[in-house]
Amino acid sequence: MGALFQLFINGLINGIIYSLLAIGFGIVYRTTRIFHIAYAGFYTLSAYLFFTFFKVLKLPFFISLILSLFSISVSGYLIERFVYLPFYEKKSSSGVIFIASLGIYIIIVNLIALIFGNEIKIILEGVQPSYSFYGIMLTRIQIIQALIGFILILIFSIMAKKSKIIKALWAMGDEPELLISLGLPFYNLRKLAFIISSFFVFTSSLLTVIDIGTNPHVGLPALLTSVVAVIIGGIDRLSGWILGSFTIALIQSLVIWKFSANWAPLATFLILILILLLRPQGIIGTKKRIEEI
């Protein structure tokens, strides 16, 4: 039972990381209805930007943090301004935008592999300190992950309820033409959605890479986890994204306990299939009439 409880705690920490991922993907999908495949590339790029500033250029940790966060935020703005927005203005189909996003992901990953190689890059070398709490072992990095992730999720959850800007983003996902007719800054709101998304993907990527390192192919599993979390929780509910993230993380922990970590991805997609079959609107999502879809 001690091992099970340890895995349960690890699952909660992973749930926090997955929640950051889900918020980053969900904010774009919910507001623009773009299936942001390039999000996987941004996840990888975030790690390598920080690696470049911190390990290659030898800049201080916090300066590297600020520069890499600024760079990935600018990247989010640029992909909206020069890729997604032109397709939107041309009224391109979602399939065309999907292919364009996939192309951006492929370009990012291949450029990173070309420049840095395919081997794993380690940010913090050596064994990290660990602490014991009533028989539960936590590393210093896990404690940092839990605290920073929890604070960011809490802040964004409060903003989603109180901030007029976040409420406008949610409204944009439902009635984009209405925002334009009301004179609201529709195009600026779209850019803001991608900047917010970039912030969350950077945070989740950095909190992971300082623990286990990175390679050019880590982005796709992160994307798939965030997509599944958003779908099974309920596309229109922030609380659903968070619930979906913790559901995935805890079930993965149970699978690791009973079988092995190799079966965790299978468990994730079994959850997705079951939800799509039994409750396609998500765990706490609401059903929509056909004309609302």
Side-chain angles (χ1 to χ4, degrees):
M1 292 302 295
L4 176 60
F5 193 55
Q6 177 72 62
L7 287 170
F8 175 77
I9 298 300
N10 292 344
L12 291 179
I13 295 172
N14 287 336
I16 292 174
I17 301 297
Y18 292 172
S19 295
L20 297 174
L21 274 172
I23 292 172
F25 177 83
I27 194 70
V28 167
Y29 187 68
R30 174 64 179 80
T31 58
T32 67
R33 302 301 179 183
I34 292 173
F35 201 90
H36 188 26
I37 296 294
Y39 189 72
F42 277 42
Y43 182 90
T44 308
L45 181 60
S46 296
Y48 277 89
L49 283 170
F50 183 79
F51 176 83
T52 299
F53 290 123
F54 185 60
K55 299 291 287 186
V56 178
L57 300 180
K58 307 294 184 181
L59 297 178
F61 183 90
F62 287 104
I63 293 178
S64 301
L65 178 69
I66 293 171
L67 289 176
S68 49
L69 175 57
F70 175 78
S71 299
I72 201 67
S73 298
V74 170
S75 300
Y77 169 86
L78 292 176
I79 195 174
E80 158 61 9
R81 176 65 182 83
F82 295 104
V83 180
Y84 293 140
L85 185 58
F87 281 121
Y88 173 81
E89 292 175 334
K90 293 178 181 178
K91 301 186 183 301
S92 300
S93 68
S94 58
V96 171
I97 298 174
F98 179 91
I99 295 299
S101 187
L102 177 62
I104 296 296
Y105 163 73
I106 293 172
I107 290 170
I108 291 174
V109 169
N110 281 277
L111 284 176
I112 288 174
L114 181 64
I115 296 170
F116 294 97
N118 287 297
E119 66 275 7
I120 296 175
K121 302 295 184 183
I122 302 298
I123 301 294
L124 299 181
E125 299 177 356
V127 178
Q128 295 299 310
S130 60
Y131 308 92
S132 179
F133 302 93
Y134 301 100
I136 301 301
M137 296 296 296
L138 293 176
T139 65
R140 181 171 62 185
I141 291 177
Q142 284 182 306
I143 296 172
I144 292 171
Q145 288 173 333
L147 289 176
I148 293 178
F150 176 77
I151 291 170
L152 291 177
I153 293 168
L154 179 61
I155 291 173
F156 189 76
S157 298
I158 294 172
M159 289 179 62
K161 294 181 179 179
K162 303 292 185 180
S163 171
K164 293 182 179 179
I165 294 178
I166 303 300
K167 289 181 178 179
L169 284 174
W170 242 250
M172 182 174 67
D174 295 322
E175 298 289 344
E177 292 80 9
L178 179 60
L179 264 68
I180 296 174
S181 64
L182 292 174
L184 294 175
F186 172 76
Y187 294 105
N188 288 338
L189 286 172
R190 281 181 60 103
K191 296 181 180 72
L192 177 62
F194 281 93
I195 292 173
I196 293 173
S197 173
S198 299
F199 170 81
F200 278 100
V201 76
F202 172 83
T203 304
S204 59
S205 178
L206 183 61
L207 289 175
T208 302
V209 73
I210 61 175
D211 187 17
I212 61 175
T214 188
N215 66 73
H217 308 289
V218 296
L220 194 55
L223 169 71
L224 296 177
T225 298
S226 62
V227 170
V228 174
V230 168
I231 292 174
I232 70 171
I235 292 172
D236 295 324
R237 297 286 188 91
L238 172 61
S239 55
W241 307 346
I242 297 171
L243 178 60
S245 299
F246 279 95
T247 300
I248 293 171
L250 292 174
I251 290 179
Q252 285 180 348
S253 292
L254 288 174
V255 170
I256 292 171
W257 178 55
K258 280 294 185 181
F259 303 100
S260 74
N262 294 330
W263 292 95
L266 175 61
T268 301
F269 286 100
L270 284 177
I271 299 168
L272 175 62
I273 292 170
L274 287 174
I275 291 294
L276 289 176
L277 289 174
L278 302 176
R279 191 174 173 82
Q281 70 270 29
I283 298 173
I284 60 174
T286 55
K287 290 185 177 180
K288 293 185 176 182
R289 299 187 301 271
I290 293 177
E291 61 268 21
E292 294 179 314
I293 299 176

Tab-separated table of all heavy atoms in Angstrom, residues 15 29 65 93 110 114 122 126 131 138 146 165 180 186-187 191 217-218 221 233 256 261-262 273 277 282 285:
chain	number	residue	atom	x	y	z
A	15	GLY	N	-0.729	15.286	-12.464
A	15	GLY	CA	-2.002	15.920	-12.806
A	15	GLY	C	-1.888	17.427	-12.881
A	15	GLY	O	-2.537	18.071	-13.723
A	29	TYR	N	-7.998	26.020	-28.496
A	29	TYR	CA	-9.070	25.255	-29.137
A	29	TYR	C	-10.448	25.804	-28.771
A	29	TYR	O	-11.339	25.890	-29.617
A	29	TYR	CB	-8.970	23.780	-28.741
A	29	TYR	CG	-9.936	22.910	-29.497
A	29	TYR	CD1	-9.774	22.704	-30.862
A	29	TYR	CD2	-11.011	22.303	-28.855
A	29	TYR	CE1	-10.666	21.918	-31.568
A	29	TYR	CE2	-11.906	21.509	-29.554
A	29	TYR	CZ	-11.728	21.323	-30.906
A	29	TYR	OH	-12.618	20.552	-31.612
A	65	LEU	N	15.254	32.044	-18.069
A	65	LEU	CA	13.812	31.822	-17.939
A	65	LEU	C	13.028	32.927	-18.630
A	65	LEU	O	12.120	32.668	-19.426
A	65	LEU	CB	13.447	31.757	-16.460
A	65	LEU	CG	11.964	31.585	-16.106
A	65	LEU	CD1	11.487	30.198	-16.509
A	65	LEU	CD2	11.746	31.800	-14.618
A	93	SER	N	-10.836	25.976	-44.644
A	93	SER	CA	-11.456	24.907	-43.866
A	93	SER	C	-10.559	24.523	-42.691
A	93	SER	O	-9.356	24.793	-42.681
A	93	SER	CB	-11.693	23.682	-44.741
A	93	SER	OG	-10.464	23.099	-45.123
A	110	ASN	N	12.151	19.064	-36.691
A	110	ASN	CA	13.294	18.703	-37.531
A	110	ASN	C	14.426	19.711	-37.417
A	110	ASN	O	15.606	19.327	-37.453
A	110	ASN	CB	12.849	18.548	-38.979
A	110	ASN	CG	12.173	17.213	-39.241
A	110	ASN	OD1	12.827	16.196	-39.459
A	110	ASN	ND2	10.859	17.193	-39.191
A	114	LEU	N	18.085	18.775	-36.104
A	114	LEU	CA	19.231	19.101	-36.955
A	114	LEU	C	20.291	19.881	-36.188
A	114	LEU	O	21.494	19.641	-36.330
A	114	LEU	CB	18.757	19.912	-38.166
A	114	LEU	CG	19.827	20.330	-39.184
A	114	LEU	CD1	20.430	19.107	-39.853
A	114	LEU	CD2	19.227	21.268	-40.218
A	122	ILE	N	20.111	17.233	-20.745
A	122	ILE	CA	19.837	17.366	-19.325
A	122	ILE	C	20.086	18.811	-18.900
A	122	ILE	O	21.137	19.388	-19.211
A	122	ILE	CB	20.715	16.415	-18.492
A	122	ILE	CG1	20.489	14.965	-18.934
A	122	ILE	CG2	20.427	16.577	-17.001
A	122	ILE	CD1	19.078	14.468	-18.737
A	126	GLY	N	23.147	15.818	-12.016
A	126	GLY	CA	23.333	15.307	-10.676
A	126	GLY	C	22.028	14.867	-10.034
A	126	GLY	O	20.942	15.092	-10.567
A	131	TYR	N	13.057	14.506	-0.080
A	131	TYR	CA	12.562	14.675	1.283
A	131	TYR	C	11.495	13.625	1.552
A	131	TYR	O	10.751	13.224	0.650
A	131	TYR	CB	11.974	16.075	1.470
A	131	TYR	CG	12.917	17.178	1.026
A	131	TYR	CD1	12.857	17.672	-0.283
A	131	TYR	CD2	13.871	17.697	1.884
A	131	TYR	CE1	13.721	18.671	-0.709
A	131	TYR	CE2	14.744	18.703	1.472
A	131	TYR	CZ	14.652	19.178	0.172
A	131	TYR	OH	15.519	20.167	-0.245
A	138	LEU	N	9.565	12.714	-1.895
A	138	LEU	CA	9.390	13.740	-2.916
A	138	LEU	C	10.723	14.414	-3.179
A	138	LEU	O	11.447	14.753	-2.241
A	138	LEU	CB	8.369	14.785	-2.472
A	138	LEU	CG	6.910	14.339	-2.316
A	138	LEU	CD1	6.079	15.490	-1.763
A	138	LEU	CD2	6.344	13.858	-3.641
A	146	ALA	N	4.792	21.038	-8.054
A	146	ALA	CA	3.474	21.087	-7.419
A	146	ALA	C	3.106	22.506	-7.014
A	146	ALA	O	1.981	22.964	-7.269
A	146	ALA	CB	3.451	20.160	-6.205
A	165	ILE	N	-11.466	40.086	-19.706
A	165	ILE	CA	-10.719	39.683	-20.899
A	165	ILE	C	-10.857	38.180	-21.132
A	165	ILE	O	-11.101	37.733	-22.262
A	165	ILE	CB	-9.232	40.068	-20.753
A	165	ILE	CG1	-9.082	41.594	-20.726
A	165	ILE	CG2	-8.416	39.477	-21.904
A	165	ILE	CD1	-7.658	42.060	-20.532
A	180	ILE	N	-17.101	40.969	-33.066
A	180	ILE	CA	-16.736	41.960	-34.081
A	180	ILE	C	-17.830	43.016	-34.196
A	180	ILE	O	-17.543	44.223	-34.258
A	180	ILE	CB	-16.507	41.263	-35.445
A	180	ILE	CG1	-15.310	40.316	-35.353
A	180	ILE	CG2	-16.275	42.301	-36.537
A	180	ILE	CD1	-15.098	39.486	-36.606
A	186	PHE	N	-11.417	41.792	-31.575
A	186	PHE	CA	-11.453	40.371	-31.906
A	186	PHE	C	-10.069	39.830	-32.258
A	186	PHE	O	-9.634	38.805	-31.729
A	186	PHE	CB	-12.428	40.151	-33.061
A	186	PHE	CG	-12.410	38.760	-33.617
A	186	PHE	CD1	-13.015	37.721	-32.930
A	186	PHE	CD2	-11.792	38.486	-34.828
A	186	PHE	CE1	-12.996	36.426	-33.446
A	186	PHE	CE2	-11.778	37.204	-35.344
A	186	PHE	CZ	-12.384	36.174	-34.647
A	187	TYR	N	-9.360	40.521	-33.132
A	187	TYR	CA	-8.064	40.026	-33.592
A	187	TYR	C	-7.023	40.068	-32.484
A	187	TYR	O	-6.157	39.189	-32.383
A	187	TYR	CB	-7.605	40.818	-34.812
A	187	TYR	CG	-8.496	40.593	-36.015
A	187	TYR	CD1	-9.407	41.563	-36.418
A	187	TYR	CD2	-8.443	39.402	-36.723
A	187	TYR	CE1	-10.241	41.346	-37.512
A	187	TYR	CE2	-9.263	39.175	-37.821
A	187	TYR	CZ	-10.164	40.152	-38.202
A	187	TYR	OH	-10.993	39.915	-39.271
A	191	LYS	N	-4.848	36.861	-30.729
A	191	LYS	CA	-3.406	36.877	-30.431
A	191	LYS	C	-3.154	36.594	-28.954
A	191	LYS	O	-2.217	35.869	-28.589
A	191	LYS	CB	-2.808	38.218	-30.835
A	191	LYS	CG	-2.866	38.514	-32.330
A	191	LYS	CD	-2.229	39.858	-32.639
A	191	LYS	CE	-2.279	40.188	-34.135
A	191	LYS	NZ	-3.618	40.534	-34.603
A	217	HIS	N	11.587	14.860	-29.550
A	217	HIS	CA	10.322	14.168	-29.811
A	217	HIS	C	9.391	14.123	-28.596
A	217	HIS	O	8.420	13.368	-28.597
A	217	HIS	CB	10.626	12.749	-30.295
A	217	HIS	CG	11.595	12.706	-31.435
A	217	HIS	ND1	11.276	13.135	-32.711
A	217	HIS	CD2	12.907	12.329	-31.484
A	217	HIS	CE1	12.335	13.002	-33.504
A	217	HIS	NE2	13.325	12.523	-32.787
A	218	VAL	N	9.655	14.946	-27.601
A	218	VAL	CA	8.815	14.922	-26.392
A	218	VAL	C	7.490	15.652	-26.586
A	218	VAL	O	6.562	15.481	-25.790
A	218	VAL	CB	9.563	15.544	-25.191
A	218	VAL	CG1	10.780	14.718	-24.828
A	218	VAL	CG2	9.964	17.002	-25.483
A	221	PRO	N	3.806	13.388	-27.368
A	221	PRO	CA	3.096	12.815	-26.213
A	221	PRO	C	2.443	13.871	-25.326
A	221	PRO	O	1.342	13.655	-24.803
A	221	PRO	CB	4.201	12.056	-25.462
A	221	PRO	CG	5.225	11.763	-26.490
A	221	PRO	CD	5.203	12.934	-27.415
A	233	GLY	N	-12.593	15.869	-20.240
A	233	GLY	CA	-13.122	16.732	-19.189
A	233	GLY	C	-14.327	17.528	-19.641
A	233	GLY	O	-15.234	17.808	-18.855
A	256	ILE	N	0.668	1.874	-13.783
A	256	ILE	CA	2.085	1.646	-13.460
A	256	ILE	C	2.214	0.716	-12.256
A	256	ILE	O	3.078	-0.162	-12.208
A	256	ILE	CB	2.782	2.988	-13.186
A	256	ILE	CG1	2.864	3.815	-14.481
A	256	ILE	CG2	4.182	2.772	-12.610
A	256	ILE	CD1	3.332	5.231	-14.273
A	261	ALA	N	5.041	1.176	-16.719
A	261	ALA	CA	4.870	2.493	-17.343
A	261	ALA	C	4.614	2.377	-18.843
A	261	ALA	O	4.063	3.299	-19.457
A	261	ALA	CB	6.116	3.348	-17.091
A	262	ASN	N	5.001	1.265	-19.456
A	262	ASN	CA	4.800	1.086	-20.894
A	262	ASN	C	3.324	1.053	-21.276
A	262	ASN	O	2.965	1.306	-22.427
A	262	ASN	CB	5.476	-0.210	-21.362
A	262	ASN	CG	6.987	-0.155	-21.240
A	262	ASN	OD1	7.576	0.916	-21.351
A	262	ASN	ND2	7.604	-1.298	-21.001
A	273	ILE	N	-11.478	6.722	-25.509
A	273	ILE	CA	-12.465	5.955	-26.270
A	273	ILE	C	-13.733	5.746	-25.452
A	273	ILE	O	-14.857	5.909	-25.955
A	273	ILE	CB	-11.865	4.609	-26.709
A	273	ILE	CG1	-10.753	4.846	-27.737
A	273	ILE	CG2	-12.942	3.700	-27.301
A	273	ILE	CD1	-9.941	3.613	-28.061
A	277	LEU	N	-17.482	7.223	-26.326
A	277	LEU	CA	-18.597	6.311	-26.537
A	277	LEU	C	-19.740	6.549	-25.556
A	277	LEU	O	-20.919	6.528	-25.935
A	277	LEU	CB	-18.116	4.863	-26.418
A	277	LEU	CG	-17.231	4.340	-27.555
A	277	LEU	CD1	-16.711	2.949	-27.217
A	277	LEU	CD2	-17.994	4.306	-28.877
A	282	GLY	N	-18.021	14.971	-22.521
A	282	GLY	CA	-17.015	15.066	-21.477
A	282	GLY	C	-17.600	14.797	-20.103
A	282	GLY	O	-18.816	14.737	-19.919
A	285	GLY	N	-19.039	18.104	-19.129
A	285	GLY	CA	-19.544	18.918	-20.228
A	285	GLY	C	-21.052	18.822	-20.323
A	285	GLY	O	-21.688	17.975	-19.708
